[in-house]
Amino acid sequence: MRLVFLGAPGAGKGTQAQRLAAQEQIPHVSTGEILRESVKRGTPLGLQAKGYMDAGKLVPDEVVIGLVREKLTSPECARGYILDGFPRTVAQAEALDRIFRETGSPGLDHVISFDVPQDEIVRRLSGRRSCSRCQTVYHIEHDPPKEEGVCDKCGGTLVQRADDKPETVLARLRVFDQQTRPLVEYYQKRGLLQRVDATGSIDQVYARLLALVHATRMA
Ligand code: AMP
C-alpha cells in the first residue's frame, strides 16, 4: 500500500500515519521527522533545514525531494509506505511522479486528505507535546501522558516543537494554504484523492481512516 497523507499542520496525519503504518507493517515516512532528527544530530541536511523550519517556512524542494527519493527507493519501502508531509508543493508532487516513472513503480494507491477547521488546528498545535527521545506525540488536553511532561513509552522528557509556538503556527498555516492546498485539486484530477473528516478523537478518526482503507481495498 502506497499512501500520501495530506493535511494542514495539526490535522493529526502524523498520529494516524504512525498507527496505520504499525498495523500494516509498512514504514511511516515523515519528512518533518527526518528533518528534525537531522537538525538534532547537526548533519549537513539539518544545518541547511533548521532556519526554514524555525521560521515555519518550507525547506527548499530540491533538498526534500532528494531525501524522499533516497528513502522510497530503499528496500524497506518495497512493500509500501505512508508518506506524511510530502509532497507539500506542486513541484514536489511532480517530482514524486517522476520518481515513479524512473523506478517503474505503479505509483500511489491513495492520497488521503485530513480535513479539520482552522480554529481547531490552532488549539491542537498549541497543546501538542512530543517526546524528545522516541518522538511519540501527546496533547496536554486530548491525549495527555500519565505523568505530566514524561513520555509513557520511554520515560523521555516531553517538549513543545519550536515550530508549534503561536507566531510560527500562523506562518505554517499560511504556507499550507498557499503551497500545499493546491495539491488537493492536483490529486483529485488524477482520481487519487480521498477525504477523511479529521475532527473528533484520535480513535474516531482512525476508525474512519480504516473504513476508507478497507472499502477501497475491497473495490
Ligand atoms: P511537519 O512535521 O510535517 O509539520 O514538518 C515540519 C517542518 O519541516 C515544516 O514546517 C517544514 O519546514 C519542513 N518540512 C517537512 N516536510 C517538508 C516538505 N515536504 N517540504 C518542505 N519542507 C518540509
Side-chain angles (χ1 to χ4, degrees), residues 31-32 35-36 53 57 59 64 85-86 88 92 161 172:
T31 43
L35 292 169
R36 273 189 294 282
M53 295 174 76
K57 293 186 181 153
V59 173
V64 192
F86 182 95
R88 251 182 163 93
Q92 291 180 11
R161 277 171 45 173
R172 289 165 66 206

Side-chain angles (χ1 to χ4, degrees), residues 143-184:
D143 183 25
K146 291 194 183 75
E147 188 183 337
E148 195 183 321
V150 181
C151 178
D152 291 347
K153 289 196 183 148
C154 76
T157 308
L158 302 188
V159 293
Q160 182 172 43
R161 277 171 45 173
D163 60 357
D164 279 348
K165 307 262 153 65
E167 329 69 87
T168 320
V169 164
L170 293 179
R172 289 165 66 206
L173 288 173
R174 252 196 320 273
V175 166
F176 175 77
D177 271 334
Q178 289 165 1
Q179 307 205 52
T180 309
R181 209 183 280 286
L183 291 181
V184 168

Side-chain angles (χ1 to χ4, degrees), residues 5 13-19 21-22 26-31 33-34 71 76 80-84:
F5 281 11
K13 50 189 195 311
T15 306
Q16 300 294 334
Q18 249 172 24
R19 248 170 119 158
I26 51 176
H28 166 207
V29 180
S30 156
T31 43
E33 208 50 72
I34 296 170
K71 197 85 188 167
E76 62 170 316
Y81 44 81
I82 301 177
L83 266 176
D84 160 18

Side-chain angles (χ1 to χ4, degrees), residues 36-162:
R36 273 189 294 282
E37 193 54 38
S38 308
V39 170
K40 209 157 91 184
R41 284 192 278 120
T43 65
L45 172 65
L47 294 177
Q48 224 177 336
K50 187 176 182 339
Y52 296 101
M53 295 174 76
D54 286 349
K57 293 186 181 153
L58 293 184
V59 173
D61 284 338
E62 60 278 12
V63 175
V64 192
I65 290 166
L67 79 85
V68 167
R69 176 189 294 273
E70 198 178 310
K71 197 85 188 167
L72 296 193
T73 53
S74 72
E76 62 170 316
C77 285
R79 275 190 55 247
Y81 44 81
I82 301 177
L83 266 176
D84 160 18
F86 182 95
R88 251 182 163 93
T89 63
V90 170
Q92 291 180 11
E94 288 168 351
L96 185 59
D97 288 341
R98 247 187 335 269
I99 294 172
F100 292 145
R101 276 199 304 277
E102 285 164 16
T103 56
S105 160
L108 298 170
D109 296 305
H110 305 291
V111 174
I112 301 180
S113 167
F114 289 77
D115 298 341
V116 186
Q118 179 140 334
D119 52 342
E120 169 73 13
I121 281 178
V122 174
R123 270 198 316 119
R124 284 188 186 184
L125 289 177
S126 55
R128 180 157 79 173
R129 300 290 181 274
S130 55
C131 176
S132 53
R133 207 185 290 160
C134 74
Q135 322 308 332
T136 299
V137 178
Y138 298 85
H139 190 281
I140 51 175
E141 285 167 41
H142 310 305
D143 183 25
K146 291 194 183 75
E147 188 183 337
E148 195 183 321
V150 181
C151 178
D152 291 347
K153 289 196 183 148
C154 76
T157 308
L158 302 188
V159 293
Q160 182 172 43
R161 277 171 45 173

